[in-house]
Amino acid sequence: MPRMTPHPIFQLILSASFVFPGLALAGQANPDDYIGSKQLVLEVRYCECEATKPDSRPSDLLPGFLEESSILRVAAAAEDKGFASSHEVSIGFEFSRIKNSSGKLKFNYAGTYTTRSGDSSGQGQLLLEKGQWVNLFGSLHESEAGSRHANVAVRLVEPDGS
């Protein structure tokens, strides 16, 4: 069987990468580098805590929820669909523009949040105003040990967080 020898250019590149390892490394990556043409960021917050008071609007999130919750950020555009997940939460979404409305987008979603107490999920369609938090779905488990809340909220912001 004939023995194959590596191409001379490949040998040179391989040798150079061992001699000059710094040449093979690119500059420090920044999350903004990966946003690309996406103009917005969907922020998904989730927590095993209470997000809103029972008689309040879905946009009136409690300060404790914002402080305690974990966050998942996803690049998005005004006409976009996507999916994001972490170990605990997964959400599929779609945005579409609304005629004659600046700052508001139609937001379709379906998501699941898995906690120690179980799963909660939700799906729906709503108007999402840029910068405004909205509690999407959650659950309340009552037991002898007390109440356990689980909630998922989202907002749409500029890539710089505003």
Side-chain angles (χ1 to χ4, degrees):
M1 180 178 224
R3 183 173 174 199
M4 296 187 71
T5 58
H7 195 275
I9 293 176
F10 177 73
Q11 285 179 326
L12 179 64
I13 293 170
L14 187 60
S15 298
S17 68
F18 288 117
V19 174
F20 303 109
L23 294 176
L25 299 176
Q28 184 100 14
N30 181 339
D32 292 338
D33 296 338
Y34 299 102
I35 290 177
S37 65
K38 308 287 184 164
Q39 308 93 355
L40 301 167
V41 174
L42 178 66
E43 292 185 344
V44 181
R45 284 201 173 264
Y46 52 98
C47 181
E48 287 187 70
C49 58
E50 191 173 13
T52 60
K53 291 291 182 192
D55 58 346
S56 66
R57 297 179 308 182
S59 59
D60 294 336
L61 295 183
L62 297 170
F65 175 80
L66 294 173
E67 292 167 8
E68 294 179 40
S69 58
S70 298
I71 190 163
L72 178 63
R73 290 184 175 99
V74 183
E79 295 283 336
D80 199 6
K81 64 171 69 173
F83 179 81
S85 70
S86 69
H87 182 67
E88 299 93 356
V89 70
S90 62
I91 186 167
F93 59 90
E94 181 177 10
F95 291 106
S96 55
R97 293 184 192 273
I98 299 172
K99 289 184 180 180
N100 302 324
S101 176
S102 62
K104 290 185 181 179
L105 297 171
K106 186 166 67 171
F107 177 63
N108 293 312
Y109 70 92
T112 302
Y113 179 30
T114 303
T115 67
R116 297 182 303 259
S117 304
D119 295 342
S120 62
S121 62
Q123 65 181 32
Q125 180 183 77
L126 55 95
L127 294 179
L128 194 58
E129 189 169 341
K130 193 166 61 170
Q132 181 181 18
W133 284 107
V134 176
N135 189 21
L136 291 184
F137 61 90
S139 63
L140 171 62
H141 296 280
E142 298 282 348
S143 69
E144 293 174 4
S147 300
R148 294 190 97 137
H149 296 268
N151 286 283
V152 176
V154 298
R155 78 173 175 170
L156 201 53
V157 295
E158 300 290 331
D160 64 4
S162 61

